[in-house]
Every structure is written in structure tokens, then in C-alpha cells.
Amino acid sequence: MAMVPTAEPGEEENFFPKPLLTGSIYIFMKDVDALWETVKNKATIKTSICDREYWMRDFSITDNNGYEIVFGEDISNH
């Protein structure tokens, strides 16, 4: 038998409110270009891949909850 959360009388119908985040999630990685090639036609792109002035090569997507997830690679040694 599975346990499922239920609302108590008087509580709103939506037991799990939509999560809120006021920033973005930044994931540091290697070979960001390979990931870009994999997801560029499958995800909702927020910013295209580019070398940034802060010595990162990155891009961002919007996930199914509306959060921005940034994938970046350090390029300060190039």
C-alpha cells in the first residue's frame, strides 16, 4: 500500500505548492560543447552557448518548473 499525501479539511487543494527559486542553478562541468550538441534541439534554450567575459563557456535551459539551469565550463586556461 502506497502512502499518498492528502490535504486536511480547510487546506487548499494543491498539497504541494509550486517551488520558487529567485536565481539560477549553475552546473560546472567539462566538455560543455558535447552537452550543448545533445540538448540544443531537445530542451527549451534560454541562452545559447557562448564564451562569457567571466571566463566561462556556458548555455542555459529552462526546466519543466521554469527554473534556469546553466551548464558551464571554465575557459580561463585557454
Side-chain angles (χ1 to χ4, degrees), residues 46-66:
K46 185 162 184 176
T47 60
S48 295
I49 195 162
C50 184
D51 292 347
R52 310 293 176 189
E53 62 187 30
Y54 44 88
W55 298 107
M56 295 295 289
R57 179 166 179 78
D58 62 24
F59 70 92
S60 66
I61 64 170
T62 304
D63 75 2
N64 60 329
N65 290 308

Side-chain angles (χ1 to χ4, degrees), residues 24-45:
S24 57
I25 300 166
Y26 201 104
I27 299 173
F28 292 86
M29 60 176 296
K30 293 183 179 180
D31 204 6
V32 71
D33 288 290
L35 181 61
W36 169 253
E37 290 301 320
T38 301
V39 303
K40 68 181 180 181
N41 296 316
K42 298 176 184 173
T44 303
I45 304 300

